Every structure is written in C-alpha cells, then in structure tokens.
Amino acid sequence: MDITTDGGAVHRSGFISLVGRPNAGKSTLLNAMLGTKLAIVADKPQTTRTMIQGVWTGPGAQLVFLDTPGIHEPKNLLHKRMMQHVRDALEGRNLIVFVADASRAFSAADLEALEWIKRVSTPAILVLNKIDLVRDKPSLLVLLETYRQHHDFAEYIPLSAQSGEGVEILRQAIVSRMPEGPRYFPEDYLTDQPERFLAAELVREKILLLTRQEVPHSTAVVVDKWDDANPALARILATIHVERPSHKAIVIGQKASMLKRIGTEARLEIEKLIGRKVYLELFVRVNENWRQKAQFVNELEPHGVQ
Ligand SMILES: Nc1nc2c(ncn2[C@@H]2O[C@H](COP(=O)(O)OP(=O)(O)OP(=O)(O)O)[C@@H](O)[C@H]2O)c(=O)[nH]1
Ligand SMILES: [Mg+2]
C-alpha cells in the first residue's frame, strides 16, 4: 500500500476514541473535527447510545474517530450495552481523547471515569472542553493540575468544541501522534453509519431537545420503512418507542402539535444530511420496558444484530 502523499511526505493515520462523562461535549467535538453534523447533540446526558464512527481526511493524514456514550453507572440493559461500547472503544486504538467539561468542578464521577482509561495502556490526551463558559481562566490551570495528579496524560488541551477555539490545536496534536499509515478510506468518506440509523438519530435528537424529564431517556426511534422508488423524494416511516402511555401523550402533544414539530425539525435535518427531499411519517408506540429487552436493544444498533 502507498503510504506517502504526492510530495513524498509521510502519511499518518490511526484510530482515535472520544471518551468521557455524559454531556462533556464528545459528540460536539466529533462534529467540530469533521466540520459536519454527524452525531446528535443535546443538553441531556446519555444522548449518544452507541459507537459513532467519523472519518476526517486532510493533507497527509486520515483520522478515524469513534464517538462513544458518556461513562456512567449502568441502571438497565441499554446502559450496560452503552458501557460495553465504551470498553470496546478503549481497546486497540492509537489514541484516546478524554473529554471533560471545564465549566464544572472536578468530582468523584470524574475520578470514576478516569479509572476507565487508567486500565488500558493506550495514550490519552485530556481535552478541557467548554472554555467559552469559563470566565476565570486561571481556574483552568487548577483543573488541569487536578487531572494531571490523577493520570499521566500525553497532552492537555483546553478548547471549545462549540466555538471551535482550540480545535485545530487538538487536530495537530492528534496527527502528530499518529503512526505512519495508509488512507484506510476514500477521500470523501465520512462514516459507516447507515442513512437509516442517522435519520432515526435525528428524530431522537429532536425528542431530546423538545421534551423533558424521563421522556428523552425512555425513547427509542426505529425506521421501519425507507422507500427510494422516487429518486427525488425519500419516503421514511419511523416509529417512536416510549415506555409508558403518559410518555406517548407527551410526545404526541396537544392536537399532535409536538409530534408535528419533532417531524418537521427532523425532516429538515435529514434532507440536509442526505441531500434530497424527504417525506417523513412518525408513529408513536408504547413498548413497555424496552430498555430491558435484549432483542429490541440489539435492533437499535446502527447495523442491527451482529
Ligand atoms: N458552551 C458550550 N457548550 C458546549 C460545548 N461543547 C458541547 N456543548 C454543549 O454541551 C451539551 C452536551 O454536548 P454533547 O456533544 O451532546 O455531549 P456528549 O459528551 O456527546 O454527551 P453524551 O452523548 O450524552 O455522552 C450540548 O448542549 C452542547 O451544545 C462547548 O464547547 N461550549
Ligand atoms: Mg454524545
């Protein structure tokens, strides 16, 4: 395989896992790295439920990122599967990017999350994210020192995944730590996630952003039918699974107003993602205790049961 670029310079490539506590900004950072919205983002913990692959190709380097669910104590089968994804993401990678929320004080939960990366020998970079929210800049140094005492990181990088400040510094740091290697994927390749999965995720994102309390966490979205018979218009039928009748009422809303809003906002984003018009029809179904049902949880994976 040719591992040099046109100029004969070294080509670098490798696999990088983004890990950290829920809500730290891992998915926002993945999207910032890729310059496109691939992973859904919400102001609620446990937004990402699976491993999301995103590939960045630049001059002389190709970086294969894996976004993971936030590290937390599993309370049901879904959570256990989520934590298995984190475990998988720590093995056999070139680098771990541990993302922490710099706007919050260091806590016992951060210490527990650090334990996960201490168990593996993979080198890790610490990202102190959300620096746009930190007014007291010297406090960043204190936080950084706290992390340093608990783990020997290869590098410490404060940034804002949202504003983009510091993101290129992180990219350079990652590239410089990659081994020489080939382009694993074509230049314009972005992800292995099927469109069906990405569309279901966008519907779930709108539910996360528009509903409250238990509803976001007890919701799953499955695309039941995707019809491309008309090349100009994708017809998508999807079901929103909720755990209780009261949740169904919330997701549907007064005169179906909530469901309409979820549908419209998701449709616009799916159209942007797939580059064609979309007809999106949503159904809501009570599926009691789905978070404990192995077969259903398997089917939510991007590639179904492996
Ligand atoms: N102000 C600010 N907000 C950010 C930044 N990065 C992420 N956020 C916000 O933080 C929240 C969580 O972001 P996500 O990217 O979904 O976090 P995550 O780590 O992927 O969360 P899980 O998937 O639940 O583990 C969202 O509301 C983001 O908009 C940042 O740099 N600055
Ligand atoms: Mg996420």
Side-chain angles (χ1 to χ4, degrees), residues 26-27 40 47-48 67-68:
K26 301 174 292 297
S27 300
I40 63 167
T47 297
T48 307
D67 181 18
T68 64

Side-chain angles (χ1 to χ4, degrees), residues 22-28 42 46-48 70 129-130 132 160-162:
N23 227 29
K26 301 174 292 297
S27 300
T28 308
Q46 296 159 26
T47 297
T48 307
N129 187 30
K130 310 197 188 182
D132 55 298
S160 168
Q162 197 167 71

Side-chain angles (χ1 to χ4, degrees), residues 107-221:
S107 71
D110 293 301
L111 204 52
E112 272 169 40
L114 277 174
E115 287 300 323
W116 285 65
I117 60 165
K118 287 168 87 70
R119 279 184 225 134
V120 292
S121 56
T122 315
I125 289 180
L126 176 73
V127 160
L128 289 182
N129 187 30
K130 310 197 188 182
I131 55 164
D132 55 298
L133 296 178
V134 181
R135 303 235 177 283
D136 174 25
K137 297 294 178 197
S139 72
L140 283 175
L141 288 175
V142 176
L143 188 59
L144 195 150
E145 196 45 46
T146 308
Y147 273 98
R148 195 201 300 275
Q149 278 166 14
H150 291 295
H151 188 68
D152 185 21
F153 286 94
E155 227 157 314
Y156 300 79
I157 301 180
L159 57 78
S160 168
Q162 197 167 71
S163 78
E165 188 185 351
V167 167
E168 287 314 309
I169 294 171
L170 173 64
R171 194 192 307 283
Q172 289 308 319
I174 294 172
V175 169
S176 71
R177 286 178 183 279
M178 290 298 111
E180 284 186 32
R183 261 188 200 156
Y184 295 104
F185 300 97
E187 204 169 340
D188 57 357
Y189 184 89
L190 179 64
T191 185
D192 67 348
Q193 318 288 308
E195 283 184 343
R196 276 176 100 101
F197 173 79
L198 296 172
E201 285 285 273
L202 285 169
V203 174
R204 195 163 65 82
E205 182 188 62
K206 301 312 162 201
I207 300 166
L208 283 166
L209 295 173
L210 295 170
T211 64
R212 280 160 205 277
Q213 290 164 0
E214 247 307 281
V215 181
H217 297 303
S218 65
T219 300
V221 180

Side-chain angles (χ1 to χ4, degrees), residues 39-55:
I40 63 167
V41 166
D43 55 351
K44 314 255 188 334
Q46 296 159 26
T47 297
T48 307
R49 287 179 176 164
T50 179
M51 203 145 46
I52 314 267
Q53 182 212 58
V55 179

